[in-house]
mmCIF file with all atom_site columns, all heavy atoms in Angstrom:
data_model
loop_
_atom_site.group_PDB
_atom_site.id
_atom_site.type_symbol
_atom_site.label_atom_id
_atom_site.label_alt_id
_atom_site.label_comp_id
_atom_site.label_asym_id
_atom_site.label_entity_id
_atom_site.label_seq_id
_atom_site.pdbx_PDB_ins_code
_atom_site.Cartn_x
_atom_site.Cartn_y
_atom_site.Cartn_z
_atom_site.occupancy
_atom_site.B_iso_or_equiv
_atom_site.pdbx_formal_charge
_atom_site.auth_seq_id
_atom_site.auth_comp_id
_atom_site.auth_asym_id
_atom_site.auth_atom_id
_atom_site.pdbx_PDB_model_num
ATOM 1   N N   . TYR A 1 10 ? 18.314  16.658 -4.114 1.00 71.00 ? 301 TYR A N   1
ATOM 2   C CA  . TYR A 1 10 ? 17.851  15.641 -5.059 1.00 71.00 ? 301 TYR A CA  1
ATOM 3   C C   . TYR A 1 10 ? 16.609  14.911 -4.569 1.00 71.00 ? 301 TYR A C   1
ATOM 4   O O   . TYR A 1 10 ? 16.152  13.965 -5.203 1.00 71.00 ? 301 TYR A O   1
ATOM 5   C CB  . TYR A 1 10 ? 18.975  14.638 -5.299 1.00 71.00 ? 301 TYR A CB  1
ATOM 6   C CG  . TYR A 1 10 ? 20.215  15.285 -5.864 1.00 71.00 ? 301 TYR A CG  1
ATOM 7   C CD1 . TYR A 1 10 ? 21.265  15.677 -5.028 1.00 71.00 ? 301 TYR A CD1 1
ATOM 8   C CD2 . TYR A 1 10 ? 20.328  15.544 -7.221 1.00 71.00 ? 301 TYR A CD2 1
ATOM 9   C CE1 . TYR A 1 10 ? 22.392  16.290 -5.548 1.00 71.00 ? 301 TYR A CE1 1
ATOM 10  C CE2 . TYR A 1 10 ? 21.451  16.155 -7.747 1.00 71.00 ? 301 TYR A CE2 1
ATOM 11  C CZ  . TYR A 1 10 ? 22.484  16.525 -6.898 1.00 71.00 ? 301 TYR A CZ  1
ATOM 12  O OH  . TYR A 1 10 ? 23.599  17.136 -7.419 1.00 71.00 ? 301 TYR A OH  1
ATOM 13  N N   . GLY A 1 11 ? 16.059  15.310 -3.477 1.00 76.00 ? 302 GLY A N   1
ATOM 14  C CA  . GLY A 1 11 ? 14.867  14.662 -2.971 1.00 76.00 ? 302 GLY A CA  1
ATOM 15  C C   . GLY A 1 11 ? 14.519  15.175 -1.592 1.00 76.00 ? 302 GLY A C   1
ATOM 16  O O   . GLY A 1 11 ? 14.968  16.243 -1.179 1.00 76.00 ? 302 GLY A O   1
ATOM 17  N N   . PHE A 1 12 ? 13.724  14.393 -0.867 1.00 80.00 ? 303 PHE A N   1
ATOM 18  C CA  . PHE A 1 12 ? 13.312  14.808 0.477  1.00 80.00 ? 303 PHE A CA  1
ATOM 19  C C   . PHE A 1 12 ? 13.151  13.557 1.340  1.00 80.00 ? 303 PHE A C   1
ATOM 20  O O   . PHE A 1 12 ? 12.997  12.440 0.838  1.00 80.00 ? 303 PHE A O   1
ATOM 21  C CB  . PHE A 1 12 ? 11.988  15.583 0.427  1.00 80.00 ? 303 PHE A CB  1
ATOM 22  C CG  . PHE A 1 12 ? 10.887  14.843 -0.291 1.00 80.00 ? 303 PHE A CG  1
ATOM 23  C CD1 . PHE A 1 12 ? 10.084  13.941 0.390  1.00 80.00 ? 303 PHE A CD1 1
ATOM 24  C CD2 . PHE A 1 12 ? 10.659  15.052 -1.640 1.00 80.00 ? 303 PHE A CD2 1
ATOM 25  C CE1 . PHE A 1 12 ? 9.079   13.244 -0.273 1.00 80.00 ? 303 PHE A CE1 1
ATOM 26  C CE2 . PHE A 1 12 ? 9.656   14.370 -2.301 1.00 80.00 ? 303 PHE A CE2 1
ATOM 27  C CZ  . PHE A 1 12 ? 8.867   13.458 -1.616 1.00 80.00 ? 303 PHE A CZ  1
ATOM 28  N N   . LYS A 1 13 ? 13.206  13.755 2.635  1.00 83.00 ? 304 LYS A N   1
ATOM 29  C CA  . LYS A 1 13 ? 13.021  12.664 3.576  1.00 83.00 ? 304 LYS A CA  1
ATOM 30  C C   . LYS A 1 13 ? 11.568  12.201 3.565  1.00 83.00 ? 304 LYS A C   1
ATOM 31  O O   . LYS A 1 13 ? 10.643  12.995 3.373  1.00 83.00 ? 304 LYS A O   1
ATOM 32  C CB  . LYS A 1 13 ? 13.409  13.114 4.990  1.00 83.00 ? 304 LYS A CB  1
ATOM 33  C CG  . LYS A 1 13 ? 14.907  13.317 5.189  1.00 83.00 ? 304 LYS A CG  1
ATOM 34  C CD  . LYS A 1 13 ? 15.633  11.977 5.223  1.00 83.00 ? 304 LYS A CD  1
ATOM 35  C CE  . LYS A 1 13 ? 17.096  12.163 5.578  1.00 83.00 ? 304 LYS A CE  1
ATOM 36  N NZ  . LYS A 1 13 ? 17.808  10.866 5.631  1.00 83.00 ? 304 LYS A NZ  1
ATOM 37  N N   . LEU A 1 14 ? 11.378  10.907 3.770  1.00 87.00 ? 305 LEU A N   1
ATOM 38  C CA  . LEU A 1 14 ? 10.023  10.373 3.789  1.00 87.00 ? 305 LEU A CA  1
ATOM 39  C C   . LEU A 1 14 ? 9.178   11.023 4.882  1.00 87.00 ? 305 LEU A C   1
ATOM 40  O O   . LEU A 1 14 ? 7.960   11.164 4.735  1.00 87.00 ? 305 LEU A O   1
ATOM 41  C CB  . LEU A 1 14 ? 10.055  8.855  3.985  1.00 87.00 ? 305 LEU A CB  1
ATOM 42  C CG  . LEU A 1 14 ? 10.538  8.031  2.792  1.00 87.00 ? 305 LEU A CG  1
ATOM 43  C CD1 . LEU A 1 14 ? 10.585  6.554  3.154  1.00 87.00 ? 305 LEU A CD1 1
ATOM 44  C CD2 . LEU A 1 14 ? 9.647   8.247  1.582  1.00 87.00 ? 305 LEU A CD2 1
ATOM 45  N N   . GLN A 1 15 ? 9.816   11.417 5.981  1.00 86.00 ? 306 GLN A N   1
ATOM 46  C CA  . GLN A 1 15 ? 9.066   12.050 7.058  1.00 86.00 ? 306 GLN A CA  1
ATOM 47  C C   . GLN A 1 15 ? 8.425   13.362 6.607  1.00 86.00 ? 306 GLN A C   1
ATOM 48  O O   . GLN A 1 15 ? 7.483   13.847 7.247  1.00 86.00 ? 306 GLN A O   1
ATOM 49  C CB  . GLN A 1 15 ? 9.996   12.309 8.250  1.00 86.00 ? 306 GLN A CB  1
ATOM 50  C CG  . GLN A 1 15 ? 10.542  11.037 8.895  1.00 86.00 ? 306 GLN A CG  1
ATOM 51  C CD  . GLN A 1 15 ? 9.447   10.188 9.514  1.00 86.00 ? 306 GLN A CD  1
ATOM 52  O OE1 . GLN A 1 15 ? 8.440   10.713 9.976  1.00 86.00 ? 306 GLN A OE1 1
ATOM 53  N NE2 . GLN A 1 15 ? 9.635   8.884  9.521  1.00 86.00 ? 306 GLN A NE2 1
ATOM 54  N N   . SER A 1 16 ? 8.938   13.940 5.521  1.00 86.00 ? 307 SER A N   1
ATOM 55  C CA  . SER A 1 16 ? 8.353   15.183 5.012  1.00 86.00 ? 307 SER A CA  1
ATOM 56  C C   . SER A 1 16 ? 6.926   14.977 4.518  1.00 86.00 ? 307 SER A C   1
ATOM 57  O O   . SER A 1 16 ? 6.149   15.933 4.436  1.00 86.00 ? 307 SER A O   1
ATOM 58  C CB  . SER A 1 16 ? 9.214   15.742 3.879  1.00 86.00 ? 307 SER A CB  1
ATOM 59  O OG  . SER A 1 16 ? 10.522  16.037 4.328  1.00 86.00 ? 307 SER A OG  1
ATOM 60  N N   . LEU A 1 17 ? 6.558   13.738 4.184  1.00 89.00 ? 308 LEU A N   1
ATOM 61  C CA  . LEU A 1 17 ? 5.187   13.461 3.736  1.00 89.00 ? 308 LEU A CA  1
ATOM 62  C C   . LEU A 1 17 ? 4.182   13.774 4.843  1.00 89.00 ? 308 LEU A C   1
ATOM 63  O O   . LEU A 1 17 ? 3.047   14.164 4.561  1.00 89.00 ? 308 LEU A O   1
ATOM 64  C CB  . LEU A 1 17 ? 5.055   11.999 3.301  1.00 89.00 ? 308 LEU A CB  1
ATOM 65  C CG  . LEU A 1 17 ? 5.885   11.582 2.083  1.00 89.00 ? 308 LEU A CG  1
ATOM 66  C CD1 . LEU A 1 17 ? 5.715   10.090 1.819  1.00 89.00 ? 308 LEU A CD1 1
ATOM 67  C CD2 . LEU A 1 17 ? 5.481   12.378 0.850  1.00 89.00 ? 308 LEU A CD2 1
ATOM 68  N N   . ASP A 1 18 ? 4.596   13.591 6.092  1.00 88.00 ? 309 ASP A N   1
ATOM 69  C CA  . ASP A 1 18 ? 3.696   13.898 7.207  1.00 88.00 ? 309 ASP A CA  1
ATOM 70  C C   . ASP A 1 18 ? 3.511   15.394 7.397  1.00 88.00 ? 309 ASP A C   1
ATOM 71  O O   . ASP A 1 18 ? 2.556   15.826 8.056  1.00 88.00 ? 309 ASP A O   1
ATOM 72  C CB  . ASP A 1 18 ? 4.232   13.298 8.503  1.00 88.00 ? 309 ASP A CB  1
ATOM 73  C CG  . ASP A 1 18 ? 4.192   11.769 8.483  1.00 88.00 ? 309 ASP A CG  1
ATOM 74  O OD1 . ASP A 1 18 ? 3.283   11.216 7.840  1.00 88.00 ? 309 ASP A OD1 1
ATOM 75  O OD2 . ASP A 1 18 ? 5.066   11.138 9.109  1.00 88.00 ? 309 ASP A OD2 1
ATOM 76  N N   . LEU A 1 19 ? 4.420   16.201 6.855  1.00 87.00 ? 310 LEU A N   1
ATOM 77  C CA  . LEU A 1 19 ? 4.352   17.655 7.035  1.00 87.00 ? 310 LEU A CA  1
ATOM 78  C C   . LEU A 1 19 ? 3.497   18.341 5.973  1.00 87.00 ? 310 LEU A C   1
ATOM 79  O O   . LEU A 1 19 ? 3.272   19.547 6.070  1.00 87.00 ? 310 LEU A O   1
ATOM 80  C CB  . LEU A 1 19 ? 5.769   18.245 7.001  1.00 87.00 ? 310 LEU A CB  1
ATOM 81  C CG  . LEU A 1 19 ? 6.744   17.705 8.051  1.00 87.00 ? 310 LEU A CG  1
ATOM 82  C CD1 . LEU A 1 19 ? 8.111   18.334 7.874  1.00 87.00 ? 310 LEU A CD1 1
ATOM 83  C CD2 . LEU A 1 19 ? 6.212   17.951 9.460  1.00 87.00 ? 310 LEU A CD2 1
ATOM 84  N N   . LEU A 1 20 ? 3.043   17.600 4.968  1.00 88.00 ? 311 LEU A N   1
ATOM 85  C CA  . LEU A 1 20 ? 2.251   18.218 3.903  1.00 88.00 ? 311 LEU A CA  1
ATOM 86  C C   . LEU A 1 20 ? 0.933   18.781 4.432  1.00 88.00 ? 311 LEU A C   1
ATOM 87  O O   . LEU A 1 20 ? 0.395   19.733 3.873  1.00 88.00 ? 311 LEU A O   1
ATOM 88  C CB  . LEU A 1 20 ? 1.968   17.199 2.790  1.00 88.00 ? 311 LEU A CB  1
ATOM 89  C CG  . LEU A 1 20 ? 3.195   16.701 2.029  1.00 88.00 ? 311 LEU A CG  1
ATOM 90  C CD1 . LEU A 1 20 ? 2.780   15.639 1.003  1.00 88.00 ? 311 LEU A CD1 1
ATOM 91  C CD2 . LEU A 1 20 ? 3.916   17.853 1.337  1.00 88.00 ? 311 LEU A CD2 1
ATOM 92  N N   . LEU A 1 21 ? 0.424   18.184 5.492  1.00 87.00 ? 312 LEU A N   1
ATOM 93  C CA  . LEU A 1 21 ? -0.821  18.678 6.080  1.00 87.00 ? 312 LEU A CA  1
ATOM 94  C C   . LEU A 1 21 ? -0.592  19.898 6.961  1.00 87.00 ? 312 LEU A C   1
ATOM 95  O O   . LEU A 1 21 ? -1.530  20.635 7.264  1.00 87.00 ? 312 LEU A O   1
ATOM 96  C CB  . LEU A 1 21 ? -1.490  17.573 6.904  1.00 87.00 ? 312 LEU A CB  1
ATOM 97  C CG  . LEU A 1 21 ? -2.072  16.397 6.103  1.00 87.00 ? 312 LEU A CG  1
ATOM 98  C CD1 . LEU A 1 21 ? -2.542  15.310 7.046  1.00 87.00 ? 312 LEU A CD1 1
ATOM 99  C CD2 . LEU A 1 21 ? -3.209  16.857 5.213  1.00 87.00 ? 312 LEU A CD2 1
ATOM 100 N N   . ASP A 1 22 ? 0.655   20.124 7.374  1.00 86.00 ? 313 ASP A N   1
ATOM 101 C CA  . ASP A 1 22 ? 0.953   21.263 8.240  1.00 86.00 ? 313 ASP A CA  1
ATOM 102 C C   . ASP A 1 22 ? 1.173   22.555 7.453  1.00 86.00 ? 313 ASP A C   1
ATOM 103 O O   . ASP A 1 22 ? 1.085   23.646 8.018  1.00 86.00 ? 313 ASP A O   1
ATOM 104 C CB  . ASP A 1 22 ? 2.203   20.975 9.079  1.00 86.00 ? 313 ASP A CB  1
ATOM 105 C CG  . ASP A 1 22 ? 1.990   19.808 10.028 1.00 86.00 ? 313 ASP A CG  1
ATOM 106 O OD1 . ASP A 1 22 ? 0.828   19.553 10.375 1.00 86.00 ? 313 ASP A OD1 1
ATOM 107 O OD2 . ASP A 1 22 ? 2.983   19.154 10.400 1.00 86.00 ? 313 ASP A OD2 1
ATOM 108 N N   . THR A 1 23 ? 1.452   22.437 6.160  1.00 82.00 ? 314 THR A N   1
ATOM 109 C CA  . THR A 1 23 ? 1.682   23.613 5.312  1.00 82.00 ? 314 THR A CA  1
ATOM 110 C C   . THR A 1 23 ? 0.361   24.001 4.668  1.00 82.00 ? 314 THR A C   1
ATOM 111 O O   . THR A 1 23 ? -0.157  23.272 3.837  1.00 82.00 ? 314 THR A O   1
ATOM 112 C CB  . THR A 1 23 ? 2.738   23.308 4.235  1.00 82.00 ? 314 THR A CB  1
ATOM 113 O OG1 . THR A 1 23 ? 3.911   22.802 4.860  1.00 82.00 ? 314 THR A OG1 1
ATOM 114 C CG2 . THR A 1 23 ? 3.067   24.550 3.439  1.00 82.00 ? 314 THR A CG2 1
ATOM 115 N N   . LYS A 1 24 ? -0.169  25.160 5.051  1.00 83.00 ? 315 LYS A N   1
ATOM 116 C CA  . LYS A 1 24 ? -1.504  25.559 4.619  1.00 83.00 ? 315 LYS A CA  1
ATOM 117 C C   . LYS A 1 24 ? -1.453  26.810 3.757  1.00 83.00 ? 315 LYS A C   1
ATOM 118 O O   . LYS A 1 24 ? -0.464  27.541 3.739  1.00 83.00 ? 315 LYS A O   1
ATOM 119 C CB  . LYS A 1 24 ? -2.407  25.795 5.829  1.00 83.00 ? 315 LYS A CB  1
ATOM 120 C CG  . LYS A 1 24 ? -2.612  24.552 6.689  1.00 83.00 ? 315 LYS A CG  1
ATOM 121 C CD  . LYS A 1 24 ? -3.565  24.812 7.830  1.00 83.00 ? 315 LYS A CD  1
ATOM 122 C CE  . LYS A 1 24 ? -3.783  23.555 8.652  1.00 83.00 ? 315 LYS A CE  1
ATOM 123 N NZ  . LYS A 1 24 ? -4.736  23.783 9.775  1.00 83.00 ? 315 LYS A NZ  1
ATOM 124 N N   . SER A 1 25 ? -2.538  27.031 3.041  1.00 80.00 ? 316 SER A N   1
ATOM 125 C CA  . SER A 1 25 ? -2.649  28.215 2.200  1.00 80.00 ? 316 SER A CA  1
ATOM 126 C C   . SER A 1 25 ? -2.827  29.445 3.066  1.00 80.00 ? 316 SER A C   1
ATOM 127 O O   . SER A 1 25 ? -3.071  29.362 4.275  1.00 80.00 ? 316 SER A O   1
ATOM 128 C CB  . SER A 1 25 ? -3.837  28.068 1.234  1.00 80.00 ? 316 SER A CB  1
ATOM 129 O OG  . SER A 1 25 ? -5.039  27.916 1.960  1.00 80.00 ? 316 SER A OG  1
ATOM 130 N N   . THR A 1 26 ? -2.715  30.607 2.432  1.00 81.00 ? 317 THR A N   1
ATOM 131 C CA  . THR A 1 26 ? -2.829  31.850 3.189  1.00 81.00 ? 317 THR A CA  1
ATOM 132 C C   . THR A 1 26 ? -4.213  32.035 3.801  1.00 81.00 ? 317 THR A C   1
ATOM 133 O O   . THR A 1 26 ? -4.347  32.696 4.824  1.00 81.00 ? 317 THR A O   1
ATOM 134 C CB  . THR A 1 26 ? -2.524  33.043 2.266  1.00 81.00 ? 317 THR A CB  1
ATOM 135 O OG1 . THR A 1 26 ? -3.349  32.948 1.091  1.00 81.00 ? 317 THR A OG1 1
ATOM 136 C CG2 . THR A 1 26 ? -1.062  33.035 1.851  1.00 81.00 ? 317 THR A CG2 1
ATOM 137 N N   . ASP A 1 27 ? -5.246  31.444 3.190  1.00 77.00 ? 318 ASP A N   1
ATOM 138 C CA  . ASP A 1 27 ? -6.589  31.538 3.760  1.00 77.00 ? 318 ASP A CA  1
ATOM 139 C C   . ASP A 1 27 ? -6.892  30.385 4.718  1.00 77.00 ? 318 ASP A C   1
ATOM 140 O O   . ASP A 1 27 ? -8.011  30.282 5.224  1.00 77.00 ? 318 ASP A O   1
ATOM 141 C CB  . ASP A 1 27 ? -7.643  31.593 2.655  1.00 77.00 ? 318 ASP A CB  1
ATOM 142 C CG  . ASP A 1 27 ? -7.600  30.373 1.750  1.00 77.00 ? 318 ASP A CG  1
ATOM 143 O OD1 . ASP A 1 27 ? -6.802  29.437 2.042  1.00 77.00 ? 318 ASP A OD1 1
ATOM 144 O OD2 . ASP A 1 27 ? -8.327  30.355 0.750  1.00 77.00 ? 318 ASP A OD2 1
ATOM 145 N N   . ARG A 1 28 ? -5.901  29.479 4.937  1.00 78.00 ? 319 ARG A N   1
ATOM 146 C CA  . ARG A 1 28 ? -6.008  28.373 5.888  1.00 78.00 ? 319 ARG A CA  1
ATOM 147 C C   . ARG A 1 28 ? -7.069  27.353 5.510  1.00 78.00 ? 319 ARG A C   1
ATOM 148 O O   . ARG A 1 28 ? -7.417  26.490 6.314  1.00 78.00 ? 319 ARG A O   1
ATOM 149 C CB  . ARG A 1 28 ? -6.304  28.894 7.306  1.00 78.00 ? 319 ARG A CB  1
ATOM 150 C CG  . ARG A 1 28 ? -5.533  30.112 7.735  1.00 78.00 ? 319 ARG A CG  1
ATOM 151 C CD  . ARG A 1 28 ? -4.042  29.884 7.745  1.00 78.00 ? 319 ARG A CD  1
ATOM 152 N NE  . ARG A 1 28 ? -3.642  28.956 8.775  1.00 78.00 ? 319 ARG A NE  1
ATOM 153 C CZ  . ARG A 1 28 ? -2.388  28.548 8.973  1.00 78.00 ? 319 ARG A CZ  1
ATOM 154 N NH1 . ARG A 1 28 ? -1.439  28.992 8.168  1.00 78.00 ? 319 ARG A NH1 1
ATOM 155 N NH2 . ARG A 1 28 ? -2.088  27.703 9.941  1.00 78.00 ? 319 ARG A NH2 1
ATOM 156 N N   . LYS A 1 29 ? -7.564  27.392 4.284  1.00 80.00 ? 320 LYS A N   1
ATOM 157 C CA  . LYS A 1 29 ? -8.625  26.479 3.879  1.00 80.00 ? 320 LYS A CA  1
ATOM 158 C C   . LYS A 1 29 ? -8.093  25.251 3.157  1.00 80.00 ? 320 LYS A C   1
ATOM 159 O O   . LYS A 1 29 ? -8.799  24.248 3.032  1.00 80.00 ? 320 LYS A O   1
ATOM 160 C CB  . LYS A 1 29 ? -9.629  27.195 2.974  1.00 80.00 ? 320 LYS A CB  1
ATOM 161 C CG  . LYS A 1 29 ? -10.417 28.296 3.674  1.00 80.00 ? 320 LYS A CG  1
ATOM 162 C CD  . LYS A 1 29 ? -11.417 28.932 2.732  1.00 80.00 ? 320 LYS A CD  1
ATOM 163 C CE  . LYS A 1 29 ? -12.225 30.009 3.431  1.00 80.00 ? 320 LYS A CE  1
ATOM 164 N NZ  . LYS A 1 29 ? -13.226 30.652 2.524  1.00 80.00 ? 320 LYS A NZ  1
ATOM 165 N N   . MET A 1 30 ? -6.880  25.331 2.642  1.00 86.00 ? 321 MET A N   1
ATOM 166 C CA  . MET A 1 30 ? -6.284  24.213 1.920  1.00 86.00 ? 321 MET A CA  1
ATOM 167 C C   . MET A 1 30 ? -4.874  23.946 2.450  1.00 86.00 ? 321 MET A C   1
ATOM 168 O O   . MET A 1 30 ? -4.224  24.849 2.957  1.00 86.00 ? 321 MET A O   1
ATOM 169 C CB  . MET A 1 30 ? -6.214  24.505 0.411  1.00 86.00 ? 321 MET A CB  1
ATOM 170 C CG  . MET A 1 30 ? -7.555  24.567 -0.281 1.00 86.00 ? 321 MET A CG  1
ATOM 171 S SD  . MET A 1 30 ? -7.361  24.867 -2.057 1.00 86.00 ? 321 MET A SD  1
ATOM 172 C CE  . MET A 1 30 ? -6.514  23.352 -2.550 1.00 86.00 ? 321 MET A CE  1
ATOM 173 N N   . THR A 1 31 ? -4.461  22.696 2.321  1.00 89.00 ? 322 THR A N   1
ATOM 174 C CA  . THR A 1 31 ? -3.100  22.330 2.693  1.00 89.00 ? 322 THR A CA  1
ATOM 175 C C   . THR A 1 31 ? -2.300  22.043 1.430  1.00 89.00 ? 322 THR A C   1
ATOM 176 O O   . THR A 1 31 ? -2.860  21.959 0.325  1.00 89.00 ? 322 THR A O   1
ATOM 177 C CB  . THR A 1 31 ? -3.089  21.084 3.588  1.00 89.00 ? 322 THR A CB  1
ATOM 178 O OG1 . THR A 1 31 ? -3.566  19.958 2.826  1.00 89.00 ? 322 THR A OG1 1
ATOM 179 C CG2 . THR A 1 31 ? -3.972  21.295 4.810  1.00 89.00 ? 322 THR A CG2 1
#
Side-chain angles (χ1 to χ4, degrees):
Y301 300 96
F303 53 87
K304 289 288 186 179
L305 288 177
Q306 295 296 329
S307 299
L308 296 177
D309 292 328
L310 301 178
L311 295 177
L312 291 173
D313 296 335
T314 307
K315 298 183 179 181
S316 60
T317 52
D318 59 5
R319 318 299 292 178
K320 294 182 179 180
M321 292 182 65
T322 66

